[in-house]
Each structure stands twice: as C-alpha cells, then as structure tokens.
C-alpha cells in the first residue's frame, strides 16, 4: 500500500507517492486558477506516473493553501507541519527549515524528532518571495530561472524597497541610469536574502539548515543567505516537494 501527499501552492502544485520508505513517484504542475481542478489532475498524473491503481492508496493527505479545495483527500495538514516532517524525513539532522515559495516565506524550527517547536511566516505581502523575483525578472526581461546565472560575479546594486510595486519602479529607474542587468539581478537576490535573514533572526537559526520551496533552486540566493546567516545551508533536488513529502509521510503512519 502507498500514501499520497499533495501540496497545492499558490504558483505550483506538487504531489508524491510514498511506499513507507521512499518516494517512488512525483509530479509538479502549475496551480492555475482552480486548485480543485489542479488537485484532481495532479492525482491522475501521479497514479499514471507511479503505475498504480487508486485502490492501492491507503491515504491521500493535502497541504498548502489550496488543500481546502480538495474534496477527495482523507486528511488536511498545515504546510508548516508538513515541511517540518518532510525535512526531517530527508535529513533527520535538520533543525531549521527556510522555505520560500511563490507567495510566502517561512522559517521553521524543529526538535530532534522533526516536530515543529517554533515558526514565523510572511504571508501578508509578496516581499521576499518567488512572486517578487518573478516580477523583477520580468522587469529585467529575463526568465526567473536565469537570475543566478545573470547575477553571478556581479557587485549587487542596492535595492532599497522590498515592496514589489516600488521595487519594480526602482529596477526600471536603475536600468534607465545605466546600471547593468547583472548588478541589478545580484541586488535583487541580495534583498531577498536580507528579508529572509530578518525573518530567520526573529525565530533563531540552529544547524542544520535546510532551504526548501521553489526559490531554493536559485544557487546564488542560497549562497547570499548562507553568508548573511554565517552558516552553511543545505538543499536538495526534492526541496520543492518538501510539503508533499511531509504530507505523504504523515498519511502513511
């Protein structure tokens, strides 16, 4: 028997199949305008990917902001809990999770069994999130996936505003003044690192630190954040699936 974890995020939806020991299949899709339809589609895709039938699934657990729209799931669990469990499953030595998603960012402290003991979340505005970087990358006329590559080796320009609207105007002004895309891209990543550092400082960071969420695929941001915190930060190719993994592990118990 298997369990399934589905994480319906604001930008991307992730799902995994767990066999009690490891993840055997995973799928990621854009969330789009309807979390309910995306949830149904991702379940269908996941079963096909894993080559299993619905009656082989013991539990389906939902997390993420769109979990409330999933009528077919057996459990609903908060993303804070799921990210903690997911990080602990991937590495039991993790004590701090820094998660930067499409519309929010969060810092989660764990104890040795992976239970959450404290957390802080920024979900009031897009500052320091994937949406912020997406808007800024568009202003620079590059893809968000290119930010690290473009910024590598450049001296960061100071970006004063963390408000997405004002920061976009600031980027346009810097470009008009002749600042390079490379220096602006570096400045944007530095500003997100500074915002995340401020959030993390309020919770307190303990080794080992794991960077999750879609933004964790940005290596230069990971480097800047590590420098700010004065600590090595770890991530994984499965980092974007952290919430779904945690949901599946919880569902299997």
């Amino acid at each position: 028997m298997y369990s399934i974890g589905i994480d319906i995020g604001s930008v991307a939806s992730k799902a995994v199949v767990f066999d009690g020991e490891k993840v055997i299949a995973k799928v990621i899709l854009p969330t789009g305008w309807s979390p309910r339809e995306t949830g149904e589609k991702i379940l269908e895709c996941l079963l096909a990917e894993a080559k299993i039938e619905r009656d082989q699934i013991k539990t389906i657990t939902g997390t993420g902001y769109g979990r409330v729209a999933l009528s077919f799931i057996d459990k609903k669990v908060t993303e804070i809990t799921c990210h903690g469990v997911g990080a602990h499953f991937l590495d039991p030595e993790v004590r701090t999770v820094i998660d930067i998603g499409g519309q929010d960012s969060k810092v989660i402290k764990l104890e040795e069994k992976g239970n959450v003991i404290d957390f802080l979340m920024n979900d009031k505005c897009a500052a320091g999130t994937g949406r912020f970087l997406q808007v800024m990358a568009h202003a620079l006329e590059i893809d968000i996936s290119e930010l690290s590559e473009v910024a590598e080796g450049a001296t960061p320009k100071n970006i004063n505003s963390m408000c997405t609207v004002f920061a976009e105007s600031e980027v346009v002004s810097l470009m008009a003044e002749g600042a390079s895309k490379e220096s602006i891209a570096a400045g944007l990543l530095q500003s997100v690192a500074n915002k995340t550092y401020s959030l993390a400082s309020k919770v307190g960071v303990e080794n080992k630190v794991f960077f999750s969420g879609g933004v964790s695929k940005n290596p230069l941001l990971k480097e800047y954040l590590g420098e700010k915190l004065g600590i090595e930060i770890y991530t994984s190719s499965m980092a974007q699936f952290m919430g779904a993994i945690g949901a599946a592990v919880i569902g299997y118990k």
Side-chain angles (χ1 to χ4, degrees), residues 45 64 68 70 115 122 151 158 180 197 230-231:
C45 292
V68 295
L70 306 181
N115 297 313
N122 166 40
N158 188 37
S180 68
Y197 169 76
I231 200 168

Side-chain angles (χ1 to χ4, degrees), residues 22-23 42 58 63 70 84 100 129 131 135 155 175 189 243:
K22 61 186 181 300
V23 172
I42 205 168
K58 60 186 290 186
T63 190
L70 306 181
I100 305 181
T129 68
R131 178 59 180 163
V135 171
T155 300
M175 291 174 69
L189 294 177

Side-chain angles (χ1 to χ4, degrees), residues 87-124:
H88 182 75
F89 172 76
L90 287 182
D91 187 343
E93 294 182 5
V94 169
R95 295 294 177 268
T96 307
V97 179
I98 295 174
D99 179 79
I100 305 181
Q103 300 277 22
D104 65 36
S105 55
K106 42 194 170 281
V107 179
I108 307 165
K109 285 184 72 173
L110 308 175
E111 44 95 278
E112 61 184 15
K113 293 182 180 179
N115 297 313
V116 176
I117 54 176
D118 198 7
F119 74 92
L120 195 58
M121 187 172 184
N122 166 40
D123 61 353
K124 302 303 181 188

Side-chain angles (χ1 to χ4, degrees), residues 80-92:
I80 298 294
T81 298
C82 288
H83 275 80
V85 172
H88 182 75
F89 172 76
L90 287 182
D91 187 343

Side-chain angles (χ1 to χ4, degrees), residues 163-196:
C163 169
T164 303
V165 175
F166 294 143
E168 185 177 16
S169 296
E170 192 173 346
V171 165
V172 172
S173 296
L174 286 169
M175 291 174 69
E177 293 167 8
S180 68
K181 283 188 179 183
E182 291 80 3
S183 64
I184 297 172
L188 290 166
L189 294 177
Q190 188 74 262
S191 70
V192 173
N194 291 342
K195 177 73 175 179
T196 307

